[in-house]
Amino acid sequence: MATNFNSSLQRFFGFNLNPKNEGDVDASPIQKINDDGAVVTAAANGYYVSMDSEVSLQSERDLINRYRTLAQMPEVAFAIQNIVNEAIVIEGDTEPVSLSVNDTDKSELEKESIREAWDEIISLSKFNTDGYQIFERWYVDGKIYYYVILDVEKGGIKEIRQIDPRKIRKVKTHTREINENGISVITGEESYFSYTESDSAGTTSAVRLHEDSVIYAHSGLIDSVSAQTNVSSASNSVEVPIIKSYIHGAIKPANQLQLLEEAILIYRLVRAPERRAFYIDIDGIPNAKADQYMNDMINKLKNKASYDASTGVLNEGKRHMAMIEDFFLPRRNGKSTEITTLPGGQGLGDLNDLEYFRDRLINSLYVPKARYQADAGFQIGKSDAVSRDEITFNKFITKLRNKFNDFLYGMLRIQLVSKGIIENTNEAWNNLKTDLSITYNTDNYFSTLKELEILTSRLAVMGDADSYTGKYLSKKYLSTHVLGLTEDEFAQMEKQIRIEAGDEVEEEDDDDGGFGDDFGGGDDFGGGGFEPAERGLDMGGGDDFGQDTGPEEPNFDQDPIQ
């Protein structure tokens, strides 16, 4: 059954999944850590303080435009593709992401409902096919927004629409009051999204969207810029948060590298070619005619006459060579006309400075430098071939996935609440979220090789410790500390070993609930048979020991869904 929600509000567009007022907070002069990058405004007692959110929004617009331009640079684009390909693996019929609900205390029916909700949001977002693009947009822009439209009849998400991050910003309004000690404290909080749209005429309009109707995930890299308030004071500027992308650190080295590349190109075009120096003898020519003589010689040497045999036309065109111009120098004192060659620039093959700034750019993108080397070898299945940079890169990918989970969890929460699968409270969702885990698909071949190599190393250690087992080290200690088994896995493994050795018979579920085992050794199985109510087991032999060794009566009348 779908949960009721507010589909129309006077101040907001969108829906409100939580009709209860959970905006009240414990009175405190210190606000919570702003970990979602929202612009904070404060409604005080008797006056209203508003930050210039347009400054923040404009700053983020400029940053996103710079990020998208930077992403087109070859070195940056290569790094982004490596990161996206490592984070989102789409191959075969395996889904790129999956949800685990096995650790929850929910019933099987509730778990199945959660899995169905997960499959529905993955289908709505087209993540199985568009996962690369979604993750890449989030990584480059540093944030991602989706507007949610609910199905008011059946419940659940009907459609999601991507929002340009340059047009939307999260805002929080704090309500402040003066307590009995004369201290301004925060007593309430209201959150919403401000969406700004401009039409063809240049008119800008702002719309408020309810917090629950927008799926929002950001990089977690939060900085701040100065903005003005409407309070007249000596210092009326405040710090407004700015969300940065993971490629933000590459802006400066990318600009330096591009500037150096262009400078090297210009230098080589100007200095690389050899030039001619024409020393024109003007000895004995008056100064008034010397200039005319020099111009005639320059025009004569610059002009190039060509004859077109097909048309019989004589073409005289000047060769425009502004960057590699020849030099014409007059001289006297009896020296004759001379043509010499000036050498080109030296050291044009030295690219150490270019490689330095390129290395700086690569280091700022978190991708191992070896991946940029076309001749670098790649060895599979050997731990000594894995560099420290690759290990660090793998941890970075795990960090990105954990932050990107906010996008998937945001969709799942709306789907579960709007369908009535979980209660319509933040507490219910937070309790469920701690028991859920999102697993990302990895490259099956390389993952298998890695697991086999790890298992081989652990078994080798177990083989070396075999002579110490039972003397200095116990089997349980080796199994848990070397093989990495948990307590439950160790107990299950011990049981399976006994079954395979024939020392124990594998248990099977009987129709009588497992209480009908016959432990007797003769014709008389206890005289009185088996009484389920008493759960008394007759151990046989002709004599009835009368011991009640069974468990307590279970309660089968409980509803599987509370």
Side-chain angles (χ1 to χ4, degrees):
M1 180 180 64
T3 302
N4 294 329
F5 51 84
N6 298 335
S7 59
S8 61
L9 298 173
Q10 294 180 354
R11 297 180 56 194
F12 297 96
F13 284 89
F15 57 87
N16 180 10
L17 283 179
N18 193 357
K20 298 179 181 180
N21 182 17
E22 293 193 359
D24 295 337
V25 297
D26 295 334
S28 171
I30 303 175
Q31 68 180 25
K32 297 180 181 178
I33 297 177
N34 190 5
D35 56 356
D36 54 4
V39 177
V40 179
T41 62
N45 188 15
Y47 62 91
Y48 185 79
V49 180
S50 63
M51 286 39 160
D52 189 358
S53 60
E54 181 62 27
V55 174
S56 173
L57 187 58
Q58 182 62 38
S59 300
E60 288 204 348
R61 288 197 196 107
D62 295 339
L63 277 179
I64 293 175
N65 290 333
R66 295 178 67 180
Y67 295 151
R68 294 183 179 182
T69 302
L70 180 63
Q72 303 302 319
M73 193 171 181
E75 289 83 0
V76 181
F78 180 83
I80 293 174
Q81 289 303 315
N82 271 265
I83 291 171
V84 174
N85 291 337
E86 289 285 343
I88 307 297
V89 179
I90 302 177
E91 59 178 8
D93 298 332
T94 306
E95 295 184 351
V97 289
S98 59
L99 181 70
S100 174
V101 293
N102 296 325
D103 296 336
T104 66
D105 55 357
K106 302 290 184 180
S107 66
E108 289 299 326
L109 184 59
E110 289 174 306
K111 291 180 181 180
E112 185 63 27
S113 299
I114 296 174
R115 294 189 186 99
E116 290 179 358
W118 172 263
D119 294 337
E120 290 169 355
I121 65 171
I122 294 299
S123 177
L124 280 169
S125 61
K126 300 180 182 179
F127 199 85
N128 290 338
T129 56
D130 299 343
Y132 285 123
Q133 291 77 11
I134 296 175
F135 189 89
E136 183 176 355
R137 287 196 300 266
W138 170 82
Y139 182 79
V140 173
D141 295 342
K143 60 186 75 65
I144 193 170
Y145 300 86
Y146 276 88
Y147 181 68
V148 180
I149 300 176
L150 294 184
D151 190 335
V152 295
E153 296 181 356
K154 299 179 181 179
I157 300 175
K158 181 179 180 180
E159 182 185 356
I160 58 174
R161 299 177 182 177
Q162 185 185 358
I163 304 176
D164 189 342
R166 295 171 295 184
K167 299 180 180 180
I168 190 171
R169 188 66 200 265
K170 188 173 184 180
V171 181
K172 289 182 179 179
T173 300
H174 287 168
T175 302
R176 286 183 173 270
E177 296 180 358
I178 305 299
N179 63 6
E180 61 276 6
N181 297 324
I183 300 176
S184 176
V185 296
I186 301 173
T187 58
E189 180 181 277
E190 182 182 38
S191 301
Y192 61 91
F193 288 90
S194 177
Y195 176 74
T196 305
E197 184 67 69
S198 300
D199 56 18
S200 57
T203 304
T204 302
S205 59
V207 178
R208 290 186 176 185
L209 304 177
H210 200 280
E211 181 182 14
D212 290 334
S213 63
V214 177
I215 302 171
Y216 169 50
H218 61 86
S219 64
L221 305 178
I222 302 178
D223 203 348
S224 60
V225 295
S226 297
Q228 301 296 319
T229 68
N230 62 353
V231 178
S232 298
S233 61
S235 177
N236 60 347
S237 64
V238 295
E239 296 296 321
V240 177
I242 291 290
I243 299 175
K244 300 188 298 186
S245 169
Y246 285 98
I247 64 175
H248 184 86
I251 293 179
K252 182 177 180 179
N255 291 336
Q256 291 174 332
L257 178 62
Q258 187 175 10
L259 179 62
L260 184 60
E261 288 177 343
E262 294 174 351
I264 290 177
L265 178 61
I266 295 174
Y267 176 78
R268 289 191 172 187
L269 289 175
V270 174
R271 298 297 304 275
E274 295 181 349
R275 303 184 190 184
R276 295 176 299 178
F278 294 85
Y279 295 94
I280 308 300
D281 181 17
I282 59 172
D283 193 18
I285 302 176
N287 292 335
K289 294 183 178 181
D291 292 340
Q292 182 63 35
Y293 178 73
M294 285 295 300
N295 291 331
D296 292 341
M297 293 297 296
I298 292 173
N299 291 331
K300 180 180 178 180
L301 294 173
K302 275 192 171 182
N303 289 348
K304 181 180 181 182
S306 62
Y307 174 75
D308 190 346
S310 61
T311 61
V313 177
L314 182 65
N315 296 324
E316 293 185 3
K318 292 185 177 180
R319 296 172 294 172
H320 300 283
M321 304 171 66
M323 298 181 65
I324 53 175
E325 196 72 45
D326 292 332
F327 295 99
F328 295 85
L329 305 173
R331 68 181 179 182
R332 297 180 185 271
N333 301 326
K335 293 183 179 180
S336 61
T337 299
E338 180 185 359
I339 301 176
T340 62
T341 302
L342 300 178
Q346 304 297 321
L348 298 178
D350 186 7
L351 299 177
N352 292 333
D353 50 354
L354 187 66
E355 291 296 332
Y356 169 76
F357 285 103
R358 186 173 182 270
D359 291 341
R360 285 193 60 190
L361 175 60
I362 293 174
N363 293 334
S364 66
L365 295 171
Y366 307 105
V367 175
K369 184 180 178 181
R371 298 197 176 201
Y372 284 87
Q373 300 173 359
D375 56 346
F378 184 76
Q379 192 171 2
I380 300 176
K382 298 296 182 180
S383 59
D384 54 0
V386 180
S387 64
R388 183 180 298 273
D389 291 340
E390 288 291 340
I391 298 176
T392 304
F393 181 64
N394 183 63
K395 294 181 179 180
F396 176 67
I397 295 298
T398 302
K399 173 184 175 181
L400 293 179
R401 287 172 172 174
N402 291 335
K403 291 301 299 180
F404 185 73
N405 285 346
D406 293 342
F407 166 70
L408 300 173
Y409 279 133
M411 283 194 298
L412 181 61
R413 173 183 175 271
I414 295 176
Q415 187 75 352
L416 293 176
V417 172
S418 61
K419 281 199 164 187
I421 298 176
I422 64 174
E423 294 181 3
N424 193 8
T425 60
N426 292 332
E427 182 181 0
W429 164 247
N430 292 332
N431 292 336
L432 176 63
K433 184 179 177 181
T434 56
D435 296 329
L436 301 178
S437 62
I438 297 177
T439 303
Y440 286 79
N441 185 27
T442 56
D443 193 309
N444 293 332
Y445 183 67
F446 297 108
S447 299
T448 302
L449 288 175
K450 178 181 177 182
E451 293 175 0
L452 288 176
E453 185 178 356
I454 294 175
L455 180 60
T456 301
S457 301
R458 289 177 174 177
L459 292 177
V461 176
M462 292 290 290
D464 296 338
D466 186 61
S467 58
Y468 302 101
T469 304
K471 185 176 181 182
Y472 300 107
L473 302 172
S474 66
K475 293 174 60 178
K476 184 176 181 180
Y477 178 86
L478 293 174
S479 298
T480 54
H481 287 74
V482 178
L483 295 181
L485 300 180
T486 63
E487 295 286 341
D488 295 338
E489 290 174 341
F490 174 76
Q492 183 66 25
M493 193 65 65
E494 285 285 306
K495 181 179 180 180
Q496 192 65 30
I497 292 175
R498 291 194 300 267
I499 292 175
E500 293 176 355
D503 298 336
E504 183 176 336
V505 179
E506 188 172 4
E507 296 181 358
E508 297 182 357
D509 294 336
D510 297 330
D511 294 337
D512 57 3
F515 296 103
D517 293 337
D518 184 5
F519 296 90
D523 294 337
D524 185 2
F525 293 91
F530 177 71
E531 294 294 334
E534 299 178 0
R535 294 293 187 268
L537 294 182
D538 188 354
M539 306 304 291
D543 296 330
D544 190 355
F545 292 91
Q547 293 181 354
D548 186 0
T549 61
E552 296 181 357
E553 178 75 17
N555 183 8
F556 294 103
D557 296 332
Q558 295 179 356
D559 190 347
I561 301 180
Q562 300 296 329

